[in-house]
Amino acid sequence: MEGSSDSGWPKSDSNRELNTSLVSDRNPRDSSHASDFPIRRPKEIDSYEVGVDQFIRTGEYSDVSLRQWLDNPNRTVDALECLHIYRQIVEIVNLAHLQGIVVHNARPSCFIMSSFNHISFIESASCSDSGSDSFEAKELSSTSPNDLNNRQRQTTDCQLVSDSSSISFFGRRVEEEKEEEEKKQTFPMKQILVMETNWYTSPEEVAGAPSSCASDIYRLGVLLFELFCAYSSTEEKCRIMSSLRHRVLPPQLLLKWPKEASFCLWLLHPEPSSRPKIGELLQSEFLNEPRDNLEEREAALELRERIEEQELFLEFLLLIQQRKQEAADKLHNAISLLSSDINEVSKLQATLKKSSSSDFPSSDVIQNEESTTLSSRKRVRQGVQIHNEDESHTHLDENQKSEFQKENQDILSKNSRLMKNFKKLESAYFLTRCRQIKSQAKPLIRHSSISNSGRGSIVQIDRSSVNNSTSENRYSEVNRQIGWVNPFLEGLCKYLSFSKLKVKADLKQGDLLNSSNLVCSLSFDRDGEFFAAAGVNKKIKVFECDGILNEDRDIHYPVVEMSSRSKLSSLCWNSYIKSQIASSNFEGVVQVWDVTRSQVFMEMREHERRVWSIDYSLTDPTMLASGSDDGSVKLWSINQGVSTGTIKTRANVCCVQFQSDSGRFLAFGSADHRIYYYDLRNSRVPLCTLVGHNKTVSYVKFVDSTNLVSASTDNTLKLWDLSMCSSRVIDGPLQSFTSHTNVKNFVGLSVCNGYIATGSETNEVFVYHKAFPMPALSFKFETTDPLSGQEVDAASQFISSVCWRGPSSTTLVGANSTGNIKILEMV
């Protein structure tokens, strides 16, 4: 340990890795046998590879330094225990002396003791202490200069090297856990270690003579004394150890342990030549006299150790079994659920076929025609048989089954979009099923439906109504049995119905005189014939959609253009009055425009700050709502020209939306990351609050009467179930959509027939379906310079607005931050 880095006990890569050989460079003969040094391996360091860290560490917590064990004030001296420990240490020193190696550090702080009193030799405790460098300086300073020079000159290099198996506690990689192990295994204070060095320095070393094997014998004598002498305090120990230097032993030790005291004095003889050799020590009567209980004690310790190792291994195996069983249970439940659903869908298919054959006489012909054209799409699943009344006894042989299964796999592999998202579709399926299982525990609320053929009349005095009601009852029974199937099947079909977004028209209409042409809002009229665009260029431009699609022109001109005094933030076309458009601007003004006259016919100035969003009620064309940075939502009556109600909030309101089939309910998103859903008949408190976004809610749209989708600058869209609003707070969305990028801009949101379109700050349009979290389609805007027509870098551009053409349309209009407008169609 002492001396330079290449002498003494060098620091190893780890504090707890137990080394198994001692090497000296004092003469070539010693070093030549270094690799053959047959050091004894203590049992607790046998390679014990365990795969779970928590079990590995369980066995390490009881390992302590021998110095800690000796200094325990509650320790009682047990002769058999002390002799068991001492004999192991003597054997370790003997292995070194057989090769002519002097063990300088035969001190308690350099030995580790396991819970079964197995001793292992480690490197110097100073290297393991948190302040190793400073302590080593103290230790060296405590020796005489002559001794220090001798130790440096000797360069004993008693290194602890491991053999080819690299043994460590339970096979642990100590380098990776050095810090943690230092916290778990703490050594005594540095002052104790400094005193220990002085106690274990032989008289000849103090006099300046070089260390020898006799010096190790002296250290073994001091160690034997410490094993059999207990202390009540540190001060008493320091006093007794100082007296030991002069071979003065405590009276209680002489009275209680006379044989041990005598043996100790022999080892502590001041003359090195008068001390016994290590071989004499091992053959002495003191260590070899028959002791009745010693062998039994060692056998009991060994048995106890083996039992504990078996318990450790058993616990490890039980944990593996538990985890695998949990995985197996989940897999079994999933397979059971799949088998149940396959049987259910098969029965429903048979019921539908039976209904169609009984209700429609020509269905057999149609079925035969379809069977010929759709035979390539037939699915046959192993273990599932679809029975018909006429086919109940028909069975496919194994060859036919394998052929159909192979054909089925080929069909699936061809559908790259399905296979690419197979894992996500699988997750969506199980999520849908879990929701359905949970909802079965809730009472079902059924609403009576009105017959379409009756046009609102519940009772029809017509003979055909009997057949219709029978058919409808049968179909309603099927629908009740289907349960979860319809939503998932509808979503899957719609997800796979289209493969891409195709550009139908590209509007090159940017105003070259304006520095910014960002389009903030797009809106279609009630018939999907015209759409309007507005933004920071302070203009509302109305385009005829079919005219653009049918005419191939380089530049498209609006049929109507209206100018505003301020930048425009939002547009909304009245769903009943075709010529009426409402707009909001950055000055907090809400305006209603007459498109046929190209002028404003109503202006409302009650907001104090910028208005972000406006929306017409679909059921009441005279009702308009607006949300503003002043933290208020105002309800307007077009007939009165003033607000009829105000909802105050504590944060900026960024978006408002009426429910699609009722003018009584309103939702709005706020900068406080929440969505508020109000029943306008009681506007004092929200009907419920939707909590889940992490940043400002920029858009809200009703997908249907019970589902709402919201967009936020936290990179997500979230789908909410408003049928759970009785809880007042909904903190879990049905679905989250996260494939787009949106962290700082308003990128648009529009819904149509279950499809959800949004923009992205990557200058892309994404189309999701409400049933699945991954996008069904996406399209990236090609950015061209309006003057040169060349493509430019679109790193700073983003989609700023999107809008579907109608409630069942496949046409989508998107605009970006440069004013580029594209008409896209799902194909």
Side-chain angles (χ1 to χ4, degrees):
M1 182 190 83
E2 296 88 344
S4 61
S5 60
D6 58 349
S7 65
W9 298 99
K11 299 178 183 179
S12 69
D13 292 339
S14 132
N15 300 332
R16 288 289 178 273
E17 186 165 359
L18 301 186
N19 307 294
T20 57
S21 66
L22 300 169
V23 181
S24 174
D25 291 338
R26 273 193 299 183
N27 54 70
R29 177 182 61 83
D30 297 335
S31 61
S32 65
H33 298 286
S35 61
D36 300 327
F37 184 62
I39 197 69
R40 170 183 175 273
R41 296 181 185 174
K43 294 181 181 179
E44 74 275 11
I45 62 170
D46 289 343
S47 181
Y48 191 80
E49 296 291 343
V50 180
V52 182
D53 292 343
Q54 62 183 13
F55 296 115
I56 296 176
R57 297 186 182 117
T58 302
E60 298 170 358
Y61 292 151
S62 57
D63 297 337
V64 296
S65 164
L66 184 58
R67 167 55 56 202
Q68 290 176 294
W69 183 79
L70 289 172
D71 290 343
N72 183 4
N74 299 321
R75 183 178 75 91
T76 58
V77 178
D78 184 328
L80 294 178
E81 182 180 39
C82 292
L83 285 173
H84 178 68
I85 294 171
Y86 186 70
R87 185 175 183 87
Q88 293 180 75
I89 296 173
V90 172
E91 290 175 354
I92 292 173
V93 175
N94 176 55
L95 291 172
H97 285 191
L98 287 176
Q99 304 227 1
I101 298 171
V102 178
V103 183
H104 298 286
N105 294 328
R107 299 181 278 114
S109 60
C110 297
F111 292 96
I112 285 279
M113 187 171 70
S114 74
S115 59
F116 300 107
N117 293 341
H118 286 299
I119 300 299
S120 305
F121 189 33
I122 63 170
E123 57 185 298
S124 171
S126 63
C127 297
S128 300
D129 196 79
S130 58
S132 58
D133 296 337
S134 60
F135 167 67
E136 187 149 349
K138 291 180 181 179
E139 185 180 21
L140 295 176
S141 65
S142 65
T143 61
S144 64
N146 189 20
D147 184 31
L148 176 60
N149 292 333
N150 289 334
R151 295 189 182 189
Q152 291 177 340
R153 185 171 56 254
Q154 289 168 4
T155 61
T156 55
D157 291 348
C158 294
Q159 302 177 11
L160 299 174
V161 296
S162 59
D163 61 3
S164 59
S165 61
S166 301
I167 303 299
S168 64
F169 276 116
F170 299 103
R172 179 166 52 93
R173 298 186 181 277
V174 190
E175 294 112 311
E176 299 176 359
E177 299 181 0
K178 184 174 180 179
E179 289 186 13
E180 183 177 352
E181 181 59 26
E182 286 178 353
K183 296 177 182 177
K184 300 283 192 303
Q185 304 282 355
T186 58
F187 284 96
M189 296 174 59
K190 296 179 183 179
Q191 293 81 357
I192 298 295
L193 295 178
V194 172
M195 290 188 291
E196 181 189 70
T197 304
N198 294 330
W199 298 337
Y200 281 78
T201 303
S202 64
E204 63 271 16
E205 290 176 312
V206 174
S211 180
S212 63
C213 291
S215 303
D216 287 343
I217 300 299
Y218 181 88
R219 282 183 272 273
L220 290 176
V222 179
L223 182 57
L224 180 62
F225 174 79
E226 280 206 78
L227 285 169
F228 281 90
C229 189
Y231 315 95
S232 58
S233 65
T234 306
E235 293 76 11
E236 180 186 4
K237 179 170 186 172
C238 293
R239 185 175 64 254
I240 294 176
M241 295 302 292
S242 298
S243 301
L244 185 66
R245 172 72 61 183
H246 307 288
R247 302 181 73 200
V248 177
L249 304 181
Q252 62 270 23
L253 181 67
L254 294 170
L255 292 174
K256 189 172 183 179
W257 312 104
K259 188 180 294 186
E260 288 76 6
S262 175
F263 195 79
C264 182
L265 290 174
W266 185 29
L267 302 179
L268 295 174
H269 200 283
E271 288 297 329
S273 59
S274 299
R275 299 173 197 150
K277 298 291 188 285
I278 191 68
E280 299 176 42
L281 194 60
L282 284 171
Q283 296 174 7
S284 64
E285 183 182 354
F286 176 74
L287 291 179
N288 292 283
E289 67 178 355
R291 302 178 188 271
D292 297 336
N293 297 327
L294 181 58
E295 293 182 359
E296 294 180 5
R297 184 185 185 91
E298 290 182 351
L301 286 173
E302 184 177 357
L303 180 60
R304 178 184 165 196
E305 178 183 9
R306 293 182 63 185
I307 292 173
E308 187 167 308
E309 288 177 349
Q310 294 297 328
E311 288 179 352
L312 181 68
F313 187 54
L314 179 61
E315 190 174 355
F316 169 70
L317 293 177
L318 288 174
L319 181 63
I320 294 179
Q321 182 189 42
Q322 178 185 348
R323 294 183 177 178
K324 296 300 181 183
Q325 186 61 49
E326 290 175 356
D329 291 341
K330 290 182 180 178
L331 183 59
H332 179 267
N333 292 337
I335 293 175
S336 299
L337 190 65
L338 284 168
S339 300
S340 172
D341 289 347
I342 290 171
N343 291 332
E344 180 183 354
V345 174
S346 300
K347 292 178 182 178
L348 293 175
Q349 185 182 30
T351 303
L352 290 173
K353 288 181 178 179
K354 180 180 178 181
S355 301
S356 63
S357 61
S358 61
D359 293 339
F360 306 100
S362 60
S363 62
D364 293 336
V365 178
I366 298 174
Q367 188 173 0
N368 291 333
E369 292 178 355
E370 289 182 348
S371 63
T372 58
T373 58
L374 301 179
S375 60
S376 62
R377 302 183 63 183
K378 185 177 181 180
R379 268 66 163 168
V380 178
R381 297 173 176 83
Q382 187 174 5
V384 179
Q385 298 177 353
I386 303 176
H387 295 282
N388 233 343
E389 287 185 351
D390 298 333
E391 301 173 348
S392 59
H393 299 291
T394 302
H395 299 280
L396 295 175
D397 58 28
E398 293 300 325
N399 293 332
Q400 288 176 318
K401 287 184 178 180
S402 61
E403 290 177 2
F404 279 119
Q405 288 171 358
K406 183 177 180 181
E407 183 182 18
N408 181 44
Q409 293 174 357
D410 293 340
I411 295 172
L412 290 178
S413 62
K414 290 177 183 178
N415 196 330
S416 58
R417 291 184 62 246
L418 186 146
M419 299 308 296
K420 180 180 179 181
N421 296 288
F422 191 84
K423 287 290 184 183
K424 293 181 179 179
L425 289 169
E426 178 185 346
S427 300
Y429 159 75
F430 283 111
L431 182 62
T432 303
R433 291 296 282 117
C434 288
R435 286 201 204 107
Q436 190 266 342
I437 291 172
K438 291 179 181 179
S439 64
Q440 285 179 349
K442 300 179 181 179
L444 297 177
I445 301 175
R446 293 189 175 91
H447 300 281
S448 59
S449 57
I450 299 176
S451 172
N452 292 332
S453 58
R455 299 188 180 275
S457 175
I458 299 178
V459 180
Q460 297 182 34
I461 310 301
D462 194 338
R463 180 170 296 181
S464 63
S465 64
V466 177
N467 293 331
N468 289 337
S469 62
T470 303
S471 177
E472 288 175 1
N473 289 336
R474 185 180 295 123
Y475 293 142
S476 63
E477 179 64 25
V478 170
N479 289 333
R480 283 195 295 271
Q481 293 176 0
I482 287 176
W484 64 273
V485 174
N486 275 343
F488 184 81
L489 186 58
E490 177 189 4
L492 182 62
C493 292
K494 289 189 175 181
Y495 176 81
L496 298 174
S497 295
F498 305 100
S499 60
K500 65 178 181 178
L501 286 169
K502 181 179 179 181
V503 179
K504 302 297 289 183
D506 193 346
L507 277 71
K508 299 178 177 64
Q509 51 84 41
D511 192 344
L512 300 181
L513 299 178
N514 287 329
S515 59
S516 177
N517 292 302
L518 187 148
V519 176
C520 296
S521 183
L522 295 167
S523 180
F524 270 94
D525 69 347
R526 67 181 187 188
D527 302 321
E529 183 180 357
F530 297 95
F531 69 90
V536 297
N537 61 4
K538 305 179 184 180
K539 295 179 180 179
I540 300 176
K541 298 180 180 180
V542 179
F543 298 90
E544 184 182 5
C545 188
D546 288 335
I548 295 172
L549 293 175
N550 297 330
E551 297 177 6
D552 185 13
R553 296 182 180 180
D554 293 335
I555 298 178
H556 298 88
Y557 295 95
V559 293
V560 175
E561 184 173 306
M562 299 173 287
S563 298
S564 173
R565 294 187 300 271
S566 177
K567 297 177 181 179
L568 297 165
S569 57
S570 182
L571 280 179
C572 186
W573 214 303
N574 194 309
S575 59
Y576 282 81
I577 306 174
K578 189 178 180 68
S579 62
Q580 197 175 99
I581 295 178
S583 70
S584 61
N585 62 33
F586 283 33
E587 293 181 355
V589 180
V590 176
Q591 297 173 308
V592 180
W593 302 77
D594 186 343
V595 178
T596 57
R597 298 181 180 182
S598 302
Q599 64 183 19
V600 176
F601 79 89
M602 185 176 296
E603 198 170 77
M604 294 164 281
R605 295 176 171 269
E606 296 186 24
H607 282 294
E608 299 174 0
R609 298 177 62 186
R610 169 172 47 191
V611 176
W612 279 111
S613 176
I614 54 172
D615 187 51
Y616 270 112
S617 170
L618 294 179
T619 59
D620 185 352
T622 65
M623 184 180 292
L624 182 70
S626 61
S628 169
D629 270 344
D630 60 12
S632 69
V633 174
K634 289 189 176 292
L635 303 174
W636 309 92
S637 172
I638 304 303
N639 294 335
Q640 301 178 22
V642 295
S643 64
T644 59
T646 301
I647 301 173
K648 293 292 293 183
T649 65
R650 292 176 292 181
N652 304 34
V653 178
C654 301
C655 48
V656 294
Q657 178 82 15
F658 280 104
Q659 194 179 50
S660 55
D661 58 354
S662 174
R664 298 175 179 176
F665 299 99
L666 177 79
F668 62 86
S670 175
D672 64 359
H673 314 167
R674 300 186 174 194
I675 302 114
Y676 299 93
Y677 181 54
Y678 273 84
D679 184 342
L680 298 180
R681 294 169 295 183
N682 180 18
S683 60
R684 291 176 297 176
V685 292
L687 194 60
C688 70
T689 303
L690 314 181
V691 181
H693 283 294
N694 298 322
K695 288 187 177 181
T696 298
V697 179
S698 50
Y699 297 95
V700 290
K701 299 289 183 181
F702 280 92
V703 179
D704 49 48
S705 59
T706 58
N707 291 322
L708 175 78
V709 65
S710 60
S712 170
T713 52
D714 63 2
N715 266 330
T716 67
L717 305 181
K718 293 186 183 296
L719 183 68
W720 308 87
D721 184 4
L722 296 178
S723 64
M724 302 166 58
C725 66
S726 58
S727 61
R728 291 290 181 181
V729 175
I730 302 176
D731 56 3
L734 292 177
Q735 198 79 266
S736 291
F737 312 90
T738 59
S739 295
H740 62 289
T741 302
N742 183 204
V743 294
K744 61 181 180 180
N745 298 298
F746 284 25
V747 295
L749 181 69
S750 185
V751 296
C752 169
N753 199 24
Y755 291 103
I756 303 168
T758 187
S760 174
E761 288 167 4
T762 57
N763 211 24
E764 292 176 278
V765 174
F766 285 85
V767 176
Y768 298 92
H769 189 270
K770 65 178 182 178
F772 303 122
M774 60 282 187
L777 305 169
S778 65
F779 177 82
K780 187 174 180 65
F781 270 38
E782 299 265 334
T783 306
T784 56
D785 183 84
L787 294 177
S788 64
Q790 300 295 323
E791 291 188 9
V792 297
D793 183 19
S796 61
Q797 299 181 19
F798 60 93
I799 301 300
S800 55
S801 185
V802 292
C803 185
W804 291 102
R805 185 172 184 178
S808 300
S809 175
T810 59
T811 301
L812 174 70
V813 177
N816 75 349
S817 53
T818 63
N820 186 7
I821 300 176
K822 294 182 186 294
I823 300 178
L824 308 172
E825 186 172 358
M826 296 191 297
V827 294

